């Protein structure tokens, strides 16, 4: 397979860690104020056609990120090791290609790549590509991977699950790709945390703070969330993203992965224990969706699109959307300090709620 397209060099990670298969659209100004963007989205415009304005964290919030990173680094390292070991068991290491979903999946893909290199001495390729809800996966990026690795055994990677929308989007995209190509890709998704019980390959199903959820691009290689807007993009090209080079001074992407991968030499016994314990519950039960339906009913919410469960998704609601309220399970409040800070900053009400499989849930305001 010949692919003449070349992705733009972007991101603050080392090329040894990840290669982004994206088109840099930094020259276009498509950031939209939060309220205006929310109004467009609820009016029918697709969220991938515009970007939110990057959240600029204050000193207190950055300090909280460092504190949570130090607190959770070992726990995340163990979860990353558990995921990596499952991937190694399922795939042929000589043909394994890690494909993380930009952008929440990217730092997790870096960690899994580093774990495999340290444990097995094999430097597996790792790419980060775009998938967009309602638009599918970037098939140009998939074609590019197969042009370089014709026998690739792709393993998709993401950070966490919410309702499972991306899990389903990935499944549908792979079915479509396989129907139109002579190659076949496995749609299985590996995640660090699966509180929604949506996948079979996961590090933990606990809904705890993954510090990379706290920030946007400064912990994701200075890359924006991905964009697909044909007003200025070509249909047969890679999906796009912005490379925020101007934020180099506050970039924490490598601090994040270096801190966690520094724990890898000390986690072998815990990884083995977790792997032996998780044999009991493997298959996804989609319990998160039941929680979402219950929340919808209790709070009289018109669409499940307004309900964003789990720490990662709730953080996104506070950073990128217009929140109505945040539901918090008080049993997990110690994991949610960053959410309390963001909610206070944005004057968003917080309500205690325990009838969910998540530690928290963000509800978007219906405009």
């Amino acid at each position: 397979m010949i692919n003449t397209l070349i992705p733009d060099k972007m991101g603050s990670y080392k090329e040894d860690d990840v290669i982004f298969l994206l088109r840099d659209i930094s020259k276009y100004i498509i950031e939209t104020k939060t309220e205006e963007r929310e109004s467009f989205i609820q009016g029918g415009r697709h969220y991938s056609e515009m970007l939110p304005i990057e959240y600029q964290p204050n000193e207190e919030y950055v300090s909280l990120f460092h504190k949570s990173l130090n607190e959770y680094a070992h726990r995340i390292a163990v979860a990353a090791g558990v995921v990596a070991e499952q991937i190694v068991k399922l795939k042929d290491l000589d043909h394994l290609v890690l494909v993380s979903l930009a952008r929440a999946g990217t730092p997790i893909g870096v960690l899994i790549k580093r774990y495999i290199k340290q444990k097995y001495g094999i430097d597996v390729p790792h790419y980060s590509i775009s998938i967009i809800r309602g638009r599918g996966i970037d098939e140009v990026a998939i074609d590019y991977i197969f042009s370089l690795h014709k026998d690739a055994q792709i393993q998709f990677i993401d950070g966490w699950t919410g309702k499972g929308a991306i899990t389903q989007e990935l499944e549908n995209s792979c079915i479509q790709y396989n129907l139109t190509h002579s190659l076949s890709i496995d749609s299985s998704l590996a995640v660090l945390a699966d509180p929604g019980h949506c996948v079979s390959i996961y590090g933990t199903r606990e809904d705890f703070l993954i510090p990379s959820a706290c920030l946007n691009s400064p912990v994701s290689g200075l890359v924006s969330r991905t964009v697909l807007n044909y007003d200025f993009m070509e249909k047969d090209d890679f999906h796009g993203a912005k490379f925020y080079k101007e934020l180099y001074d506050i970039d924490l992407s490598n601090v994040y992965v270096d801190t966690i991968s520094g724990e890898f030499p000390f986690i072998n016994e815990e990884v083995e224990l977790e792997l032996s314990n998780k044999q009991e519950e493997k298959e996804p039960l989609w319990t998160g969706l039941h929680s979402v339906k219950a929340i919808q009913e209790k709070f009289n919410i018109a669409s499940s699109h307004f309900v964003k469960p789990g720490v990662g998704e709730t953080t996104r609601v506070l950073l990128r959307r217009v929140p109505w309220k945040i539901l918090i399970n008080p049993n997990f409040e110690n994991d949610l300090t960053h959410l309390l800070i963001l909610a206070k900053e944005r004057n968003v009400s917080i309500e205690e709620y325990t009838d969910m499989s998540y530690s928290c849930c963000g509800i978007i305001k219906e405009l």
Side-chain angles (χ1 to χ4, degrees):
M1 187 185 296
I2 297 172
N3 191 323
T4 55
L5 285 173
I6 302 295
D8 290 326
K9 285 192 174 184
M10 61 193 302
S12 60
Y13 295 111
K14 302 165 192 165
E15 274 197 31
D16 286 350
D17 279 329
V18 62
I19 294 172
F20 287 95
L21 301 185
L22 295 167
R23 184 64 64 217
D24 188 358
I25 56 166
S26 297
K27 62 184 177 182
Y28 301 104
I29 300 172
I30 56 170
E31 285 85 355
T32 311
K33 287 182 180 177
T34 303
E35 289 76 11
E36 186 180 7
R37 181 171 176 269
E38 188 63 48
S39 182
F40 283 144
I41 291 171
Q42 293 189 28
R45 190 172 173 189
H46 200 275
Y47 75 91
S48 68
E49 295 179 4
M50 51 200 161
L51 287 172
I53 295 170
E54 278 288 301
Y55 172 68
Q56 299 294 319
N58 59 30
E59 196 174 315
E60 179 191 15
Y61 196 77
V62 173
S63 175
L64 176 65
F65 167 82
H66 286 291
K67 181 176 179 290
S68 64
L69 176 57
N70 291 330
E71 184 178 342
Y72 291 108
H74 189 83
R75 190 174 176 183
I76 294 168
V78 172
V82 170
V83 177
E85 292 290 357
Q86 291 170 81
I87 293 170
V88 168
K89 189 175 179 181
L90 291 166
K91 307 283 185 185
D92 177 356
L93 270 179
D94 290 332
H95 300 294
L96 172 63
V97 177
L98 302 175
V99 178
S100 56
L101 304 180
R103 69 187 166 181
T106 311
I108 310 308
V110 171
L111 291 173
I112 291 169
K113 174 185 168 77
R114 288 187 179 188
Y115 178 93
I116 292 172
K117 186 173 183 179
Q118 176 177 298
K119 178 82 179 281
Y120 296 96
I122 296 175
D123 194 11
V124 298
H126 173 214
Y127 300 97
S128 189
I129 74 172
S130 167
I131 186 170
I132 294 171
R133 182 169 47 80
R135 300 283 181 88
I137 202 157
D138 186 350
E139 291 195 1
V140 171
I142 296 290
D143 289 343
Y144 182 88
I145 291 168
F146 278 118
S147 75
L148 297 180
H149 314 277
K150 65 184 180 67
D151 297 318
Q153 291 187 22
I154 286 175
Q155 177 61 63
F156 292 106
I157 296 167
D158 208 354
W160 57 83
T161 62
K163 297 191 293 279
I166 289 299
T167 307
Q168 293 171 321
E169 189 72 50
L170 181 60
E171 172 74 21
N172 294 337
S173 292
C174 289
I175 289 170
Q176 183 62 36
Y177 186 89
N178 292 339
L179 284 173
T180 54
H181 295 73
S182 58
L183 296 160
S184 178
I185 48 176
D186 171 15
S187 64
S188 67
L189 181 63
V191 300
L192 191 77
D194 179 34
H197 293 242
C198 308
V199 299
S200 299
I201 308 171
Y202 58 91
T204 178
R205 279 185 166 146
E206 293 179 18
D207 186 23
F208 72 100
L209 172 61
I210 300 170
S212 57
C214 286
L215 298 166
N216 287 331
S217 66
V219 78
S220 307
L222 297 182
V223 173
S224 75
R225 50 151 300 275
T226 57
V227 172
L228 194 60
N229 188 328
Y230 293 131
D231 287 347
F232 55 85
M233 296 172 68
E234 300 294 328
K235 287 197 174 181
D236 296 322
D237 199 0
F238 297 101
H239 289 189
K242 281 201 167 190
F243 180 15
Y244 291 107
K245 294 178 184 176
E246 66 273 19
L247 299 180
Y248 260 121
D249 288 348
I250 62 168
D251 184 36
L252 295 163
S253 306
N254 290 293
V255 169
Y256 181 74
V257 292
D258 289 347
T259 302
I260 296 168
S261 60
E263 296 291 320
F264 287 160
F266 316 110
I267 64 172
N268 285 346
E269 287 184 13
E270 288 167 272
V271 169
E272 290 300 321
L273 182 62
E274 288 293 328
L275 286 168
S276 61
N277 289 341
K278 74 193 300 298
Q279 297 304 319
E280 298 170 12
E281 186 190 352
K282 188 79 172 171
E283 292 306 312
L285 300 172
W286 296 86
T287 52
L289 272 180
H290 302 306
S291 296
V292 169
K293 287 174 183 174
I295 290 167
Q296 252 190 283
E297 192 173 324
K298 177 174 175 58
F299 294 96
N300 195 26
I301 299 165
S303 168
S304 64
H305 290 318
F306 293 138
V307 183
K308 303 292 184 181
V311 178
E313 295 307 300
T314 302
T315 305
R316 284 177 170 180
V317 168
L318 286 162
L319 292 179
R320 308 203 308 231
R321 305 296 294 269
V322 177
W324 173 46
K325 67 170 64 184
I326 302 300
L327 306 180
I328 283 182
N329 185 332
N331 297 322
F332 301 99
E333 198 163 318
N334 289 340
D335 275 348
L336 307 175
T337 308
H338 77 293
L339 291 178
L340 301 178
I341 291 174
L342 287 174
K344 185 179 178 182
E345 275 185 14
R346 301 202 58 189
N347 199 27
V348 177
S349 67
I350 294 170
E351 186 169 325
E352 290 191 356
Y353 184 81
T354 56
D355 188 22
M356 56 182 170
S357 63
Y358 305 91
S359 59
C360 59
C361 181
I363 303 177
I364 294 169
K365 186 176 183 179
E366 192 169 355
L367 301 180

